[in-house]
Amino acid sequence: MPQLTKELILEAFRRMGEIAHERGLQLEVSLYGGAVMLLVYNSRAITKDVDAVIVPEVEGREIVAVVAKEFGFDRDWLNSDVSQFLAPVGAKRPLAKEFQGLKVSVPTASYLLALKAMASRRALPGYSGDEADLRFLLRKMNIGTVAEVQSHIDRYFPDDVLPDQHAALIKSILGEVHSDDR
């Protein structure tokens, strides 16, 4: 499968919208994770997949499969695995790029930070984890404490407390971010 760059993802979205339009559909894709870091913040050059929720799901999955075949992507290049981690009500905004037949939205920085903080996956061989994304968001949002991170979590996951292990990782990253600023 080719590396998923910003240009390649946008071209795949253009094609998805084209197919949807030809079929008389309007697809809605809500992006999360690494694809947002790539498309919105330019904080990375590639992503391994696109975490998204697509509506209508059945027709959307069919179109994703067509695009996968046309572009030589893995079948799950755009997958909804992230849906199990989403808040009941999240904060989204439109992607700054428009496509005929396809509306793309992304989480606000606050919601993305809450999602990334709750996941706080450490890097593994072949997987970058959430550390670089957290570092980027904490710096971008000028966050200085774990309590500030918890306040963002509280907006979307009011019954959840950042696990101690995740709080320790974030505290460590905050130490790095603020030592870089000196």
Side-chain angles (χ1 to χ4, degrees):
M1 178 165 133
Q3 299 278 342
L4 293 176
T5 62
K6 182 175 189 172
E7 295 74 22
L8 196 51
I9 293 170
L10 291 174
E11 183 60 23
F13 286 167
R14 184 201 59 74
R15 182 65 180 128
M16 285 174 59
E18 186 177 87
I19 296 167
H21 182 72
E22 289 169 359
R23 295 181 180 185
L25 295 171
Q26 177 67 44
L27 291 181
E28 294 182 25
V29 174
S30 299
L31 299 178
Y32 300 93
V36 176
M37 300 305 295
L38 173 69
L39 295 171
V40 176
Y41 300 112
N42 295 308
S43 68
R44 57 170 70 183
I46 59 169
T47 188
K48 66 181 179 70
D49 63 359
V50 175
D51 297 315
V53 174
I54 190 166
V55 176
E57 186 175 5
V58 172
E59 294 87 344
R61 290 272 140 235
E62 291 171 5
I63 292 171
V64 167
V66 169
V67 170
K69 188 172 184 176
E70 288 180 7
F71 282 66
F73 293 167
D74 289 341
R75 281 185 58 114
D76 64 347
W77 73 274
L78 189 150
N79 65 77
S80 61
D81 296 346
V82 71
S83 62
Q84 63 187 319
F85 303 107
L86 300 179
V89 177
K92 301 184 293 185
R93 62 184 175 85
L95 182 67
K97 179 93 172 126
E98 294 183 24
F99 306 93
Q100 182 179 27
L102 176 67
K103 290 182 183 177
V104 181
S105 63
V106 295
T108 62
S110 174
Y111 184 33
L112 185 58
L113 174 65
L115 290 166
K116 290 284 185 178
M118 289 303 291
S120 290
R121 296 165 295 191
R122 293 196 180 261
L124 300 170
Y127 174 67
S128 62
D130 293 311
E131 292 176 50
D133 294 342
L134 281 165
R135 187 174 293 106
F136 178 88
L137 289 166
L138 293 169
R139 181 174 281 124
K140 176 189 179 352
M141 297 171 70
N142 197 28
I143 291 180
T145 67
V146 173
E148 288 176 78
V149 174
Q150 183 64 53
S151 72
H152 288 275
I153 292 167
D154 291 344
R155 290 180 192 169
Y156 310 102
F157 303 97
D159 298 327
D160 291 340
V161 175
L162 196 59
D164 290 342
Q165 188 176 4
H166 297 190
L169 173 65
I170 290 168
K171 187 174 182 178
S172 169
I173 293 170
L174 284 167
E176 293 171 30
V177 166
H178 295 296
S179 71
D180 291 348
D181 293 341
R182 291 180 196 147

